[in-house]
Amino acid sequence: MAQRNTSISRDEIQKEWENPDPDSPCYDCDRRDTHQVSKPYFGHGDPNADVLLLGADPGGNSSVTEDTDVWYNHKRFWKDYPGTEEEVDEYQSNHKDNFLPISGVKESIPELASIITKLEENNLSVYYTNVAKCNHINSAIEDDDVTVPENVNAEIEDQDELNRAGKRNCASNFLLGEIRSVDPDVIIVLADGSWHINYVFELFSLDTPSGENVRDYVWKHVSGDATSATDVIPVHNSDRVQSMIIPTYHFNMIGRNVSRFLNTKGNELYGSELSPPEKGGKDWYYDLIMDRVTGLVTE
């Protein structure tokens, strides 16, 4: 299907997901929850934000209920799970307008709260969305006591390709239009693994680095001569969107990945004016990102 080149709001994306016509990208997407039991993630925060945080996939919710069968469904362990009457009613009544204020994102994804708070402290409005709108579908069944409902595909032959195809479908048909609708000054891309960040670079028609590690995307070549965030944090221009693009570590991985980087490839920074901490480094890294973001927004 050809890529859409027009603006599309999160409200319009939700309407397409709920009631897709045969020409809609959602209509034949294997990743879509056709029974509308597991809600997608359509985008939250200020729809006219200064900064757009771009994640990879919705994470699901492993604590919605103690009922094991329902837990599996919310984590999208089953494809085409029909849901009970109560589950379908719950979605229809509570998730019609599935848009949180950015404060709600901080509550529902605590790991994101640090970067959102830092952006807000710099008077920057924030919008958060994912490349894919529907949760991952997995074929793993970890509990022999789980009863798989009839006509549910609990085992998927190639779940990676199914999920990646769904992500590509969302990206080409919704994400670029969603970005045009929000029109942020800066997009912070949260690198959820090397395949994901490489795909996002290709989507935005950006040159990929020579290395294959996430580290190679989120850092410039560093040296002991670095004096500011500009020297170490890359910023990219894309022909596909007007926003400036900053790739960063995923919020779940920042602490350990920054520490690992400083102890290996980034060791020279200990002799620079950037003065990284001997231990940790998450807040130090966030401060570098904020320096770059605020500089770009105020230019």
Side-chain angles (χ1 to χ4, degrees), residues 9-25:
S9 70
R10 59 189 180 185
D11 306 77
E12 293 170 316
I13 296 172
Q14 178 170 353
K15 288 177 182 177
E16 286 220 23
W17 177 84
E18 290 182 334
N19 298 293
D21 60 47
D23 293 327
S24 169

PDB file of all heavy atoms in Angstrom, residues 9-25:
ATOM      1  N   SER A   9      -4.757  12.993  12.383  1.00  0.00           N
ATOM      2  CA  SER A   9      -4.752  13.164  13.830  1.00  0.00           C
ATOM      3  C   SER A   9      -4.924  11.832  14.536  1.00  0.00           C
ATOM      4  O   SER A   9      -5.340  10.832  13.927  1.00  0.00           O
ATOM      5  CB  SER A   9      -5.875  14.111  14.257  1.00  0.00           C
ATOM      6  OG  SER A   9      -7.142  13.483  14.086  1.00  0.00           O
ATOM      7  N   ARG A  10      -4.638  11.816  15.824  1.00  0.00           N
ATOM      8  CA  ARG A  10      -4.806  10.586  16.593  1.00  0.00           C
ATOM      9  C   ARG A  10      -6.279  10.167  16.626  1.00  0.00           C
ATOM     10  O   ARG A  10      -6.597   8.983  16.661  1.00  0.00           O
ATOM     11  CB  ARG A  10      -4.277  10.782  18.008  1.00  0.00           C
ATOM     12  CG  ARG A  10      -4.958  11.901  18.782  1.00  0.00           C
ATOM     13  CD  ARG A  10      -4.243  12.188  20.085  1.00  0.00           C
ATOM     14  NE  ARG A  10      -4.897  13.252  20.830  1.00  0.00           N
ATOM     15  CZ  ARG A  10      -4.428  13.767  21.962  1.00  0.00           C
ATOM     16  NH1 ARG A  10      -3.286  13.311  22.458  1.00  0.00           N
ATOM     17  NH2 ARG A  10      -5.063  14.724  22.592  1.00  0.00           N
ATOM     18  N   ASP A  11      -7.211  11.156  16.615  1.00  0.00           N
ATOM     19  CA  ASP A  11      -8.640  10.825  16.589  1.00  0.00           C
ATOM     20  C   ASP A  11      -8.987  10.079  15.312  1.00  0.00           C
ATOM     21  O   ASP A  11      -9.747   9.102  15.333  1.00  0.00           O
ATOM     22  CB  ASP A  11      -9.476  12.110  16.680  1.00  0.00           C
ATOM     23  CG  ASP A  11      -9.115  12.971  17.869  1.00  0.00           C
ATOM     24  OD1 ASP A  11      -8.080  13.658  17.806  1.00  0.00           O
ATOM     25  OD2 ASP A  11      -9.866  12.943  18.856  1.00  0.00           O
ATOM     26  N   GLU A  12      -8.440  10.529  14.192  1.00  0.00           N
ATOM     27  CA  GLU A  12      -8.715   9.886  12.913  1.00  0.00           C
ATOM     28  C   GLU A  12      -8.107   8.489  12.850  1.00  0.00           C
ATOM     29  O   GLU A  12      -8.697   7.567  12.269  1.00  0.00           O
ATOM     30  CB  GLU A  12      -8.184  10.754  11.779  1.00  0.00           C
ATOM     31  CG  GLU A  12      -8.925  12.077  11.632  1.00  0.00           C
ATOM     32  CD  GLU A  12      -8.240  13.029  10.679  1.00  0.00           C
ATOM     33  OE1 GLU A  12      -6.997  13.164  10.757  1.00  0.00           O
ATOM     34  OE2 GLU A  12      -8.950  13.642   9.862  1.00  0.00           O
ATOM     35  N   ILE A  13      -6.916   8.323  13.447  1.00  0.00           N
ATOM     36  CA  ILE A  13      -6.296   6.994  13.492  1.00  0.00           C
ATOM     37  C   ILE A  13      -7.166   6.036  14.291  1.00  0.00           C
ATOM     38  O   ILE A  13      -7.403   4.891  13.889  1.00  0.00           O
ATOM     39  CB  ILE A  13      -4.882   7.073  14.102  1.00  0.00           C
ATOM     40  CG1 ILE A  13      -3.962   7.918  13.220  1.00  0.00           C
ATOM     41  CG2 ILE A  13      -4.302   5.670  14.276  1.00  0.00           C
ATOM     42  CD1 ILE A  13      -2.610   8.202  13.855  1.00  0.00           C
ATOM     43  N   GLN A  14      -7.680   6.499  15.425  1.00  0.00           N
ATOM     44  CA  GLN A  14      -8.530   5.645  16.250  1.00  0.00           C
ATOM     45  C   GLN A  14      -9.792   5.240  15.491  1.00  0.00           C
ATOM     46  O   GLN A  14     -10.208   4.076  15.541  1.00  0.00           O
ATOM     47  CB  GLN A  14      -8.915   6.354  17.549  1.00  0.00           C
ATOM     48  CG  GLN A  14      -9.851   5.517  18.418  1.00  0.00           C
ATOM     49  CD  GLN A  14     -10.056   6.079  19.802  1.00  0.00           C
ATOM     50  OE1 GLN A  14      -9.411   7.037  20.192  1.00  0.00           O
ATOM     51  NE2 GLN A  14     -10.965   5.491  20.546  1.00  0.00           N
ATOM     52  N   LYS A  15     -10.398   6.171  14.770  1.00  0.00           N
ATOM     53  CA  LYS A  15     -11.614   5.850  14.021  1.00  0.00           C
ATOM     54  C   LYS A  15     -11.332   4.803  12.950  1.00  0.00           C
ATOM     55  O   LYS A  15     -12.152   3.913  12.704  1.00  0.00           O
ATOM     56  CB  LYS A  15     -12.178   7.120  13.402  1.00  0.00           C
ATOM     57  CG  LYS A  15     -12.803   8.074  14.413  1.00  0.00           C
ATOM     58  CD  LYS A  15     -13.283   9.356  13.749  1.00  0.00           C
ATOM     59  CE  LYS A  15     -13.856  10.312  14.787  1.00  0.00           C
ATOM     60  NZ  LYS A  15     -14.265  11.613  14.160  1.00  0.00           N
ATOM     61  N   GLU A  16     -10.169   4.899  12.304  1.00  0.00           N
ATOM     62  CA  GLU A  16      -9.825   3.901  11.284  1.00  0.00           C
ATOM     63  C   GLU A  16      -9.640   2.534  11.914  1.00  0.00           C
ATOM     64  O   GLU A  16     -10.005   1.507  11.337  1.00  0.00           O
ATOM     65  CB  GLU A  16      -8.553   4.324  10.543  1.00  0.00           C
ATOM     66  CG  GLU A  16      -8.778   5.465   9.570  1.00  0.00           C
ATOM     67  CD  GLU A  16      -7.996   5.274   8.284  1.00  0.00           C
ATOM     68  OE1 GLU A  16      -7.643   4.127   7.950  1.00  0.00           O
ATOM     69  OE2 GLU A  16      -7.746   6.281   7.612  1.00  0.00           O
ATOM     70  N   TRP A  17      -9.037   2.500  13.108  1.00  0.00           N
ATOM     71  CA  TRP A  17      -8.800   1.219  13.775  1.00  0.00           C
ATOM     72  C   TRP A  17     -10.117   0.570  14.192  1.00  0.00           C
ATOM     73  O   TRP A  17     -10.298  -0.637  14.067  1.00  0.00           O
ATOM     74  CB  TRP A  17      -7.905   1.422  14.991  1.00  0.00           C
ATOM     75  CG  TRP A  17      -7.668   0.165  15.767  1.00  0.00           C
ATOM     76  CD1 TRP A  17      -6.723  -0.794  15.513  1.00  0.00           C
ATOM     77  CD2 TRP A  17      -8.385  -0.298  16.917  1.00  0.00           C
ATOM     78  NE1 TRP A  17      -6.810  -1.812  16.433  1.00  0.00           N
ATOM     79  CE2 TRP A  17      -7.817  -1.531  17.304  1.00  0.00           C
ATOM     80  CE3 TRP A  17      -9.437   0.215  17.658  1.00  0.00           C
ATOM     81  CZ2 TRP A  17      -8.280  -2.253  18.401  1.00  0.00           C
ATOM     82  CZ3 TRP A  17      -9.908  -0.508  18.748  1.00  0.00           C
ATOM     83  CH2 TRP A  17      -9.325  -1.728  19.105  1.00  0.00           C
ATOM     84  N   GLU A  18     -11.041   1.384  14.712  1.00  0.00           N
ATOM     85  CA  GLU A  18     -12.283   0.833  15.225  1.00  0.00           C
ATOM     86  C   GLU A  18     -13.222   0.377  14.115  1.00  0.00           C
ATOM     87  O   GLU A  18     -13.902  -0.649  14.242  1.00  0.00           O
ATOM     88  CB  GLU A  18     -12.985   1.865  16.110  1.00  0.00           C
ATOM     89  CG  GLU A  18     -12.266   2.102  17.431  1.00  0.00           C
ATOM     90  CD  GLU A  18     -12.995   3.094  18.325  1.00  0.00           C
ATOM     91  OE1 GLU A  18     -13.734   3.930  17.775  1.00  0.00           O
ATOM     92  OE2 GLU A  18     -12.819   3.027  19.544  1.00  0.00           O
ATOM     93  N   ASN A  19     -13.273   1.134  13.025  1.00  0.00           N
ATOM     94  CA  ASN A  19     -14.203   0.806  11.947  1.00  0.00           C
ATOM     95  C   ASN A  19     -13.514   0.944  10.589  1.00  0.00           C
ATOM     96  O   ASN A  19     -13.843   1.833   9.802  1.00  0.00           O
ATOM     97  CB  ASN A  19     -15.427   1.745  12.003  1.00  0.00           C
ATOM     98  CG  ASN A  19     -16.213   1.591  13.288  1.00  0.00           C
ATOM     99  OD1 ASN A  19     -16.823   0.550  13.530  1.00  0.00           O
ATOM    100  ND2 ASN A  19     -16.209   2.637  14.107  1.00  0.00           N
ATOM    101  N   PRO A  20     -12.561   0.067  10.313  1.00  0.00           N
ATOM    102  CA  PRO A  20     -11.822   0.206   9.055  1.00  0.00           C
ATOM    103  C   PRO A  20     -12.654  -0.215   7.846  1.00  0.00           C
ATOM    104  O   PRO A  20     -13.336  -1.238   7.886  1.00  0.00           O
ATOM    105  CB  PRO A  20     -10.628  -0.734   9.244  1.00  0.00           C
ATOM    106  CG  PRO A  20     -11.128  -1.779  10.193  1.00  0.00           C
ATOM    107  CD  PRO A  20     -12.085  -1.069  11.121  1.00  0.00           C
ATOM    108  N   ASP A  21     -12.588   0.589   6.791  1.00  0.00           N
ATOM    109  CA  ASP A  21     -13.205   0.159   5.543  1.00  0.00           C
ATOM    110  C   ASP A  21     -12.170  -0.642   4.760  1.00  0.00           C
ATOM    111  O   ASP A  21     -11.004  -0.709   5.138  1.00  0.00           O
ATOM    112  CB  ASP A  21     -13.712   1.358   4.740  1.00  0.00           C
ATOM    113  CG  ASP A  21     -12.609   2.336   4.376  1.00  0.00           C
ATOM    114  OD1 ASP A  21     -11.543   1.890   3.894  1.00  0.00           O
ATOM    115  OD2 ASP A  21     -12.799   3.554   4.561  1.00  0.00           O
ATOM    116  N   PRO A  22     -12.555  -1.288   3.672  1.00  0.00           N
ATOM    117  CA  PRO A  22     -11.609  -2.157   2.946  1.00  0.00           C
ATOM    118  C   PRO A  22     -10.358  -1.453   2.440  1.00  0.00           C
ATOM    119  O   PRO A  22      -9.356  -2.123   2.173  1.00  0.00           O
ATOM    120  CB  PRO A  22     -12.464  -2.678   1.775  1.00  0.00           C
ATOM    121  CG  PRO A  22     -13.862  -2.655   2.295  1.00  0.00           C
ATOM    122  CD  PRO A  22     -13.928  -1.420   3.157  1.00  0.00           C
ATOM    123  N   ASP A  23     -10.393  -0.132   2.315  1.00  0.00           N
ATOM    124  CA  ASP A  23      -9.212   0.604   1.855  1.00  0.00           C
ATOM    125  C   ASP A  23      -8.317   1.056   3.006  1.00  0.00           C
ATOM    126  O   ASP A  23      -7.266   1.648   2.771  1.00  0.00           O
ATOM    127  CB  ASP A  23      -9.645   1.835   1.049  1.00  0.00           C
ATOM    128  CG  ASP A  23     -10.325   1.456  -0.258  1.00  0.00           C
ATOM    129  OD1 ASP A  23      -9.932   0.417  -0.831  1.00  0.00           O
ATOM    130  OD2 ASP A  23     -11.243   2.182  -0.682  1.00  0.00           O
ATOM    131  N   SER A  24      -8.728   0.797   4.229  1.00  0.00           N
ATOM    132  CA  SER A  24      -7.961   1.257   5.382  1.00  0.00           C
ATOM    133  C   SER A  24      -6.754   0.359   5.639  1.00  0.00           C
ATOM    134  O   SER A  24      -6.826  -0.862   5.458  1.00  0.00           O
ATOM    135  CB  SER A  24      -8.844   1.271   6.630  1.00  0.00           C
ATOM    136  OG  SER A  24      -8.075   1.463   7.798  1.00  0.00           O
ATOM    137  N   PRO A  25      -5.638   0.927   6.096  1.00  0.00           N
ATOM    138  CA  PRO A  25      -4.472   0.113   6.460  1.00  0.00           C
ATOM    139  C   PRO A  25      -4.776  -0.895   7.559  1.00  0.00           C
ATOM    140  O   PRO A  25      -4.118  -1.926   7.660  1.00  0.00           O
ATOM    141  CB  PRO A  25      -3.452   1.155   6.938  1.00  0.00           C
ATOM    142  CG  PRO A  25      -3.894   2.435   6.343  1.00  0.00           C
ATOM    143  CD  PRO A  25      -5.382   2.372   6.249  1.00  0.00           C
TER     144      PRO A  25
END
